[in-house]
Amino acid sequence: MIISQQKNREELLQNLEGKKRLFLVGCGACATACKSGGEEQVFQLQEWLASVGREVTGSVIIDEACHIMRAARDLRHHRDAVAEADALVVLACGAGVQSISSNTDKRVIAGLDSLFLGNIRRLGQYEEKCSLCGACILNETAGICPVTTCAKGLLNGPCGGMEEGHCEADREVECAWHSIYERLKKQGRQGVFARTVPPKNWGKLRKPGRLKLG
Amino acid sequence: MSQLQRELSQHRFVVTTEIAPPKGVDLSAALAKARALQGITAVNVTDNQGGNMRLSPLVLAARLLEAGVEPILQLTCRDRNRLALQADLLGAAALGVENVLLLSGDHMRFGDHPQAKAVFDLDSVQLLQAVSHLNLGRDMADRKLQGVPSFFAGAAVSPGAEPFELMFQKYRKKVEGGARFFQTQAIFAEDKLRRFMDAARPLGIPVLLGVLLLKNAATARFLNANIPGVQVPPELVERLEQAADPLAAGVAIARQQVALAREICQGVHLMSLGQEELIPAMLT
Ligand code: SF4
Ligand code: SF4
C-alpha cells in the first residue's frame, strides 16, 4: 500500500490562493487506509475550507484513485460540479493526483505527501519493507530486504557502524544485516553470505516504469 | 609502488595517520600539519567524514604528494555513484595517488547536510572489486582503459563488532574483493582484537590497528555516544576521569595500544584528534 499523509494546512492554504470554488477528490484505497484521504478526511477538509471562506462545489471518493480510467469515469459523473470549480483538491497519493490531472485541464492541488510503499503492522503503523528495485534479492536474504531496510542499502553485509546488532543510522532499529544473518542461521543456510553480490543493476528499474501484460 | 605498499611487503611496522581537508579552500593549515608529521609512512585524507562537507580529498591528496607526503585517499560510496567513483579513481591515479581506502561511508543523517540524497550505488566490497578491475585495465563496464592504474587498495574493519561471525564474513569478502591492507576502527578491548587477529591472520592481509587518542573522559564519553562502532570501556573512562593529567593518561593508553599492535598487528593508524604533536609520544 502507498503510505501518504496530509500536507499541513498552511502549505495547502498557500496553494489555494486565488481559488474560491473547489471540487474535492479522495481515494477509497490506500489514502483511506492511511486516514489521509478517505471519506472522513474529505469531509474534514470540506469543513476547514468553509472556515477559510472557500466554497466546495462537490466531492467524490474514487475507488482507487491511481486507476486512470476509473478516475476519468468518476469525474465525468460529477461533470457539472467539476466545471463549477476553480480547482480540484486531491487527497490521494501522487499517482492518484496524476490520474486526476491527466483527466482535467483544471488546476489540480495535491493535498498529501506520498511517503513510501508500506507494510501494515497494525492500522496506523506502517513500515517500509520494499523499495521496488526491479531485481529482487529476497531469496538470498532470508526474506529480509537490505536494499530497503539497511539504511545504506548495502548488499554484502553490515557496515562498520553496526553496534550490537543495531543500526548506525538509528540505534532504535535492528541492523538489517543482523536480522538477515540471524534468520539465515536459523534456516541453516548461507544465503547471501555464500557469494559477493555484484553491484546492483539499476537499469532493471526502468524509469519511468511501464509494464504491459500479454 | 607506494611507500606504504613497499614497507608492508617488507614486514616493516607501518604508521599512518589522517588529515581532514579544510571546510573551505585554504589548504595551508592542512599542508603545514602534514609536513610537520614525524615517523609516518602515509596519511589518510578523509572524505566528507561523518557526512560533513569539506574540500575534495582528491585535491588535498595531490597537494600532499607535491609536498612529499604520501597520501591514502579515502573514498566513500555515500556521495558518488559508480561513474563518479571510477572517474575520481582514474583522476587520482593520473595525479600519482596510489593508496586508496575504500569505505561505505558514515550515514549522512548526523552530518551537516542531512537533507542530501545518499547514493550508495556500490558498497565497499563492490568498490574494492571495481578497483581490482581498474588495476587490470578495465572499467566496471569491462571497457578497456587508456593507461592502467596501479592502486594499492585498503579497506576498513571493525574488529570489535558483534556478532563476530557476521562482521568477519564481510571482512572475508573484502579480502576476496581485493583489499591489500586494512585499517581498523578504534578498538580498546584487547581480547576482541586478539580474537579478530587470530581469525584474520591466516588470510595474510596486513592490519593496521586504529589507535585513537583519548584526550579526556569527556572525549571518551562523546565517542561512546556518537561515533558508530567505537566503544571505550568503562574502566578506561574511569582511568581518564581519575588522572591528574588526562591528556598524559590518554597518551599512555595510546602507547599501550601501539605496543599491542607491535605484537600482533602490522602497523597502527593513529587518530590524534588534532593533537598531531603528540604522535611521537604515542609511538615511543
Ligand atoms: S530486493 Fe528489496 S527493494 Fe528490491 S524488489 Fe526485493 S524487496 Fe523490493
Ligand atoms: S548498521 Fe546495518 S542496517 Fe544500518 S546502515 Fe549499517 S549495515 Fe545498514
Side-chain angles (χ1 to χ4, degrees):
Chain A
M1 167 168 95
I2 305 301
I3 308 304
S4 60
Q5 66 184 15
Q6 294 200 353
K7 287 181 186 288
N8 65 45
R9 296 290 199 230
E10 209 171 296
E11 189 181 343
L12 202 54
L13 204 53
Q14 282 168 15
N15 283 296
L16 287 169
E17 204 170 296
K19 306 291 173 204
K20 187 89 184 66
R21 286 176 303 274
L22 301 156
F23 183 81
L24 312 185
V25 182
C27 170
C30 306
T32 292
C34 288
K35 294 187 186 294
S36 58
E39 210 147 339
E40 205 182 318
Q41 291 75 40
V42 169
F43 180 70
Q44 286 163 355
L45 179 67
Q46 179 161 0
E47 300 223 301
W48 173 76
L49 284 168
S51 76
V52 293
R54 301 307 204 279
E55 183 190 324
V56 173
T57 63
S59 65
V60 61
I61 308 287
I62 300 173
D63 261 0
E64 284 149 344
C66 54
H67 195 310
I68 300 172
M69 304 303 275
R70 197 174 290 160
R73 186 196 63 197
D74 287 3
L75 285 184
R76 269 199 306 278
H77 286 160
H78 294 80
R79 204 178 294 131
D80 297 342
V82 172
E84 272 176 50
D86 302 324
L88 292 79
V89 181
V90 183
L91 299 184
C93 74
V97 172
Q98 292 180 72
S99 287
I100 308 303
S101 67
S102 69
N103 282 306
T104 176
D105 290 330
K106 293 216 179 225
R107 168 84 179 273
V108 171
I109 296 164
L112 307 184
D113 288 317
S114 306
L115 303 178
F116 52 89
L117 165 62
N119 286 30
I120 307 169
R121 169 80 54 192
R122 59 180 70 89
L123 210 61
Q125 189 179 339
Y126 309 107
E127 293 163 19
E128 186 177 22
K129 301 287 187 190
C130 169
S131 37
L132 310 175
C133 76
C136 195
I137 192 180
L138 284 178
N139 290 332
E140 281 181 87
T141 56
I144 296 167
C145 172
V147 178
T148 308
T149 62
C150 161
K152 300 178 187 172
L154 306 182
L155 293 177
N156 281 297
C159 72
M162 176 190 71
E163 240 173 51
E164 315 268 319
H166 288 262
C167 174
E168 152 181 344
D170 182 354
R171 288 272 176 255
E172 305 288 297
V173 171
E174 191 173 355
C175 164
W177 281 100
H178 186 253
S179 315
I180 292 168
Y181 165 79
E182 290 289 334
R183 198 178 292 172
L184 282 170
K185 204 164 67 175
K186 270 186 210 142
Q187 295 175 354
R189 63 192 185 106
Q190 271 222 295
V192 70
F193 295 113
R195 63 160 186 152
T196 293
V197 179
K200 201 161 186 58
N201 180 2
W202 290 109
K204 283 207 172 188
L205 188 68
R206 270 212 285 153
K207 207 177 159 106
R210 261 165 189 271
L211 177 68
K212 198 169 177 185
L213 302 179
Chain B
M1 190 188 288
S2 72
Q3 189 65 22
L4 177 68
Q5 181 173 6
R6 188 171 305 117
E7 289 186 15
L8 285 171
S9 68
Q10 291 166 352
H11 305 289
R12 284 168 57 187
F13 188 79
V14 154
V15 181
T16 60
T17 185
E18 61 189 37
I19 289 196
K23 193 175 195 72
V25 296
D26 183 0
L27 287 173
S28 50
L31 290 171
K33 231 181 220 183
R35 281 202 203 91
L37 291 172
Q38 285 164 16
I40 304 284
T41 301
V43 178
N44 287 42
V45 185
T46 55
D47 180 14
N48 291 338
Q49 197 173 15
N52 294 299
M53 189 285 296
R54 285 166 174 260
L55 174 137
S56 161
L58 177 51
V59 172
L60 179 56
R63 296 294 301 276
L64 285 177
L65 270 178
E66 282 172 15
V69 177
E70 181 166 302
I72 300 174
L73 175 70
Q74 296 194 180
L75 217 48
T76 75
C77 299
R78 178 191 56 230
D79 305 337
R80 304 170 187 82
N81 73 2
R82 65 193 79 178
L83 275 78
L85 286 165
Q86 292 179 99
D88 278 0
L89 282 161
L90 294 182
L95 290 167
V97 175
E98 288 177 281
N99 307 315
V100 286
L101 188 82
L102 307 170
L103 306 164
S104 306
D106 300 323
H107 200 278
M108 56 181 57
R109 200 162 294 171
F110 306 108
D112 61 3
H113 287 63
Q115 303 88 349
K117 180 170 166 108
V119 183
F120 298 113
D121 183 28
L122 302 182
D123 64 26
S124 51
V125 176
Q126 293 159 348
L127 183 54
L128 279 159
Q129 285 182 320
V131 168
S132 305
H133 219 63
L134 293 176
N135 278 346
L136 295 171
R138 300 258 168 193
D139 72 7
M140 289 180 72
D142 212 28
R143 309 244 179 219
K144 210 164 168 296
L145 303 177
Q146 235 171 6
V148 179
S150 55
F151 288 115
F152 187 55
V157 62
S158 302
E162 298 287 351
F164 179 81
E165 197 191 336
L166 172 58
M167 175 274 294
F168 201 77
Q169 268 163 333
K170 179 104 183 229
Y171 175 76
R172 187 177 285 119
K173 281 190 185 186
K174 287 186 176 181
V175 172
E176 285 162 7
R180 310 276 301 280
F181 70 96
F182 282 88
Q183 291 175 326
T184 80
Q185 179 62 281
I187 169 171
F188 296 92
E190 181 175 337
D191 51 334
K192 287 191 175 187
L193 177 65
R194 284 187 184 276
R195 172 168 69 157
F196 170 74
M197 287 309 298
D198 287 344
R201 205 166 290 120
L203 299 180
I205 308 294
V207 173
L208 314 189
L209 175 65
V211 175
L212 195 153
L213 176 62
L214 299 169
K215 292 197 243 185
N216 49 45
T219 311
R221 278 193 216 99
F222 176 84
L223 293 166
N224 281 346
N226 296 297
I227 304 299
V230 178
Q231 279 155 344
V232 185
E235 57 277 14
L236 287 187
V237 181
E238 185 68 13
R239 185 168 152 194
L240 291 161
E241 193 84 77
Q242 303 299 328
D245 181 350
L247 190 55
V251 171
I253 293 168
R255 212 181 291 131
Q256 284 172 358
Q257 287 212 284
V258 172
L260 177 62
R262 286 189 199 278
E263 187 197 324
I264 60 174
C265 300
Q266 287 67 50
V268 280
H269 177 65
L270 303 177
M271 293 167 271
S272 57
L273 303 184
Q275 312 267 306
E276 288 78 18
E277 70 283 1
L278 293 176
I279 285 179
M282 290 161 75
L283 287 171
T284 49

